[in-house]
Amino acid sequence: MHSVVVDHALKILDRFTTDDPPTASAEERTAWAEALLDSGDPTAAAEQLITVLRAGPTPDTLPEVARRLPWQQARSVLAAAIDNGRVTREISLRPQLGSGFARLAAGSDEAEEALLRAVLAVEQYEESPPYGPHRERKHRVAAVVAALAEAHPGEPERLDLWASILGAADRPRLAAAARLLAPLGLAEIDRRCGELDADTEGTEGVGLARALAEAGRLTEALELAARLQPDPRQAALLAMAEVVTGEREAKAEVRTGEREARAEVLTGEREAKAVVAAFRACPKGGRDRHQQLAYQHRLTVLLLSFGRVDDALAELSKMCGRPFASSAPIRLAEEIVDRLGRRPEPVTDERLRTLLDALDTANLRPYELSLEIADLLHGVFVLAGPDLRAEILSTRAATIRTRLATHGSGHVDIGLAAGLIAIGRAGEAAAHLRTVSAATPARRYGFTAELLIAAAADTDLPEYDPDLFAEVYGMIADLAAYPPPQSSAPAIALGPAGRATAARLTDRFRPNRLPRRLTGWLAEAAARTGDFDTLGILLEKATDEPQASLAARHLAAALARYGDRAGADAVADACGLSPTSPTAG
């Protein structure tokens, strides 16, 4: 079977032969390296990763792929990253990349020291405090220190080694090792790290406060938070609230007696009151409207994290009553709904009505409402009971459509359709989408296609009603201004039948700034799951060399991953992915 697939792919690639050979992106080469590793060839995988590091830039996924290599080859990849300057300026604005390289180095004292010394290098402009690069350098050093600390739990002796490498000038960056420092207490943290600075307290200070709370030192965490500027102080208190809530839930699972249980509940209540009181005492940061709204948003989230849903809804109502126009109320409402969706125990129709009533009074510009209403209605509809769902479908939806009469009332039906699909009423959802398509056949709506696609995938719509899914997906393609995001998770969830249907309909999506993103989204999922049918359809649908090569590179990865290395190498060579790099050493 694979030989037929390979021959067919090579014929399609021949259609688009150009004078310039196709070139693969760094992301595509990294995915190819991962497939080679999956096929049992770590040597070729390491060569590909080294080639990427020599050419640059570095994909965020590269360090995690390299971590799967045997140690000696992983060390070679890390050395290539250091030698080619990929651990200095390139990671300054991408702390996740620095963290990834730190995890790659973890376990070897030599590799850890080499990485830490490399990120400490001072590049051009980084020595000047007024400039952004000076601050960015601090963040990259902190990201590496934090990841190394995560890799060495219970080893506080590492702190002295890292401090000696950091030196006096970068001593405050040791504060990023929060998990190792917190059990030692705030006084010891002050002795080792000195005073936090304004450039980094938003990351290091918040992390330390969280870690102190996790270590059972809430009083010290509150003391540390009180030293911070208003914005990181609020963030630190929110982080503590998450910890306190988590501890309270963990305690509830291990209660062994009524007296112990009562004591634990009282402890949790005292902690909650302390954190809330500290937040209410926290400065808002200024009289600026945005600072006031940010404070109110965080206070609402804090109250919600402690289960004080009615108090959180009261704060939402206050925000909705402000006289000036702002998108803040609907964004806060979305976060409330999202958090209730993750912890639905306190959800009632009455509370959801309170939320919707508050938004009815909010001074929202129609454009701002149109951007968020589909996601909000989807979330509320899923949480609502039968009576409220009926109310939303009738009077509530009609009211919102009126508010959006000149700014895309179809967003309302798109949100309702997502909610209906999520609760198993896909036929009604299709009716809403047909209404929107018929009313505005040439319009594209500002929502990502993932909203509806994920709902269809989660309810197995492609499997139990493939014809209805094909119709729904076709309407999604016709209506969505934006294709799905980079994550392949929803495409994997669609299953082979859903992906094949989606592949046949790729040309229904309007071309945009990233015209091949939809192809790549489906192809990546197909390559990871061995879905050769979808890959074949995507190749057939290709209309130019870049699109054909994109699908072919994912096909090469699938062939390697699923046992046909010879076929994978043939396709890889034809689409700009050489099986190994002649320049790698």
Side-chain angles (χ1 to χ4, degrees):
M1 172 187 171
H2 288 174
S3 62
V4 175
V5 172
V6 171
D7 291 343
H8 188 56
L10 294 176
K11 288 178 182 178
I12 291 173
L13 289 170
D14 282 343
R15 295 181 199 165
F16 303 107
T17 300
T18 61
D19 293 336
D20 297 324
T23 56
S25 68
E27 288 77 12
E28 289 169 326
R29 282 197 176 278
T30 302
W32 172 233
E34 184 178 11
L36 291 172
L37 186 55
D38 289 340
S39 75
D41 191 348
T43 301
E47 290 175 349
Q48 287 291 324
L49 295 179
I50 291 171
T51 299
V52 171
L53 289 166
R54 287 176 173 171
T58 307
D60 290 344
T61 55
L62 188 147
E64 293 306 312
V65 175
R67 284 183 70 196
R68 297 176 50 205
L69 292 166
W71 170 241
Q72 196 57 44
Q73 287 154 332
R75 183 70 181 85
S76 297
V77 173
L78 180 63
I82 293 172
D83 293 344
N84 290 278
R86 305 302 171 201
V87 299
T88 51
R89 291 293 296 276
E90 188 166 323
I91 69 172
S92 291
L93 295 176
R94 298 160 65 197
Q96 70 277 14
L97 188 59
S99 299
F101 281 126
R103 287 189 291 271
L104 179 60
S108 164
D109 291 349
E110 179 186 355
E112 291 179 11
E113 181 174 349
L115 175 62
L116 197 49
R117 292 193 184 280
V119 299
L120 283 168
V122 180
E123 301 289 323
Q124 187 178 20
Y125 304 119
E126 290 183 345
E127 73 280 1
S128 304
Y131 293 96
H134 179 75
R135 179 174 59 253
E136 291 155 10
R137 176 184 172 275
K138 294 180 180 181
H139 286 311
R140 78 163 177 258
V141 175
V144 169
V145 171
L148 290 176
E150 291 284 346
H152 293 285
E155 299 181 41
E157 62 275 11
R158 294 271 174 179
L159 295 168
D160 291 329
L161 172 62
W162 297 335
S164 68
I165 297 171
L166 290 172
D170 288 297
R171 176 186 169 201
R173 305 290 77 73
L174 191 64
R179 290 291 177 87
L180 294 181
L181 287 165
L184 306 179
L186 186 57
E188 182 66 8
I189 292 171
D190 289 340
R191 185 187 73 80
R192 288 176 177 269
C193 305
E195 185 177 351
L196 297 178
D197 55 54
D199 283 341
T200 58
E201 66 175 18
T203 51
E204 294 161 10
V206 173
L208 271 175
R210 178 193 292 275
L212 284 166
E214 289 173 337
R217 295 174 175 269
L218 184 65
T219 301
E220 292 177 73
L222 291 168
E223 180 184 343
L224 174 63
R227 303 176 186 174
L228 305 179
Q229 296 298 311
D231 191 68
R233 182 171 170 181
Q234 293 169 25
L237 290 165
L238 275 179
M240 282 183 252
E242 293 174 1
V243 173
V244 171
T245 302
E247 286 179 346
R248 188 166 50 181
E249 291 172 347
K251 289 172 183 174
E253 295 174 358
V254 296
R255 289 171 182 163
T256 56
E258 184 177 346
R259 181 179 300 174
E260 182 179 354
R262 189 180 302 115
E264 288 165 351
V265 169
L266 289 173
T267 299
E269 289 176 355
R270 283 197 299 269
E271 291 169 341
K273 288 179 179 178
V275 175
V276 172
F279 197 97
R280 291 191 183 277
C282 180
K284 295 179 175 66
R287 300 181 64 84
D288 178 85
R289 178 182 300 174
H290 298 293
Q291 292 170 319
Q292 299 282 321
L293 291 171
Y295 174 87
Q296 195 168 13
H297 185 115
R298 287 170 173 161
L299 174 60
T300 305
V301 172
L302 185 80
L303 294 168
L304 199 61
S305 69
F306 288 121
R308 293 168 59 173
V309 179
D310 294 325
D311 290 339
L313 291 172
E315 290 296 327
L316 173 64
S317 296
K318 290 178 189 176
M319 183 183 285
C320 290
R322 290 179 179 267
F324 51 81
S326 169
S327 62
I330 194 166
R331 293 184 185 277
L332 177 56
E334 278 190 274
E335 177 143 10
I336 292 173
V337 171
D338 179 65
R339 286 175 174 266
L340 289 176
R342 284 182 269 141
R343 297 177 61 182
E345 296 82 7
V347 173
T348 64
D349 279 2
E350 181 180 357
R351 284 172 167 158
L352 293 175
R353 283 191 181 94
T354 299
L355 182 144
L356 294 171
D357 288 343
L359 287 178
D360 281 344
T361 67
N363 191 0
L364 293 166
R365 301 179 185 92
Y367 173 71
E368 294 166 342
L369 180 61
S370 71
L371 290 178
E372 311 295 338
I373 195 61
D375 285 296
L376 181 75
L377 283 177
H378 163 242
V380 172
F381 197 84
V382 170
L383 291 172
D387 291 342
L388 181 55
R389 284 174 181 165
E391 183 181 320
I392 292 171
L393 287 169
S394 55
T395 56
R396 297 274 184 182
T399 299
I400 302 171
R401 287 191 194 99
T402 300
R403 294 181 72 178
L404 291 176
T406 60
H407 285 78
S409 60
H411 285 100
V412 176
D413 292 279
I414 290 165
L416 294 176
L420 286 162
I421 292 172
I423 65 169
R425 292 160 61 177
E428 294 174 64
H432 280 269
L433 295 177
R434 290 187 204 107
T435 299
V436 178
S437 296
T440 54
R443 174 158 189 163
R444 297 283 172 147
Y445 289 84
F447 72 98
T448 173
E450 184 182 10
L451 176 66
L452 289 160
I453 293 172
D458 290 345
T459 54
D460 296 323
L461 181 60
E463 295 295 327
Y464 78 77
D465 198 334
D467 292 337
L468 182 59
F469 172 72
E471 183 189 6
V472 167
Y473 192 90
M475 289 189 286
I476 295 170
D478 291 339
L479 293 170
Y482 308 107
Q486 294 291 350
S487 171
S488 62
I492 290 173
L494 282 176
R499 284 191 297 273
T501 296
R504 295 186 186 97
L505 296 170
T506 51
D507 52 0
R508 294 272 288 273
F509 280 91
R510 174 180 291 178
N512 56 73
R513 291 178 300 159
L514 301 170
R516 290 178 292 279
R517 193 170 79 178
L518 186 63
T519 295
W521 178 72
L522 288 167
E524 181 184 352
R528 292 192 178 280
T529 57
D531 182 359
F532 292 98
D533 289 342
T534 295
L535 290 166
I537 295 168
L538 291 171
L539 277 165
E540 285 286 358
K541 298 283 288 187
T543 57
D544 56 24
E545 183 275 324
Q547 194 172 15
S549 292
L550 174 61
R553 288 167 194 144
H554 285 290
L555 173 61
L559 289 165
R561 190 172 278 121
Y562 287 90
D564 187 353
R565 179 61 186 277
D569 285 352
V571 174
D573 191 52
C575 64
L577 277 178
S578 57
T580 57
S581 168
T583 62

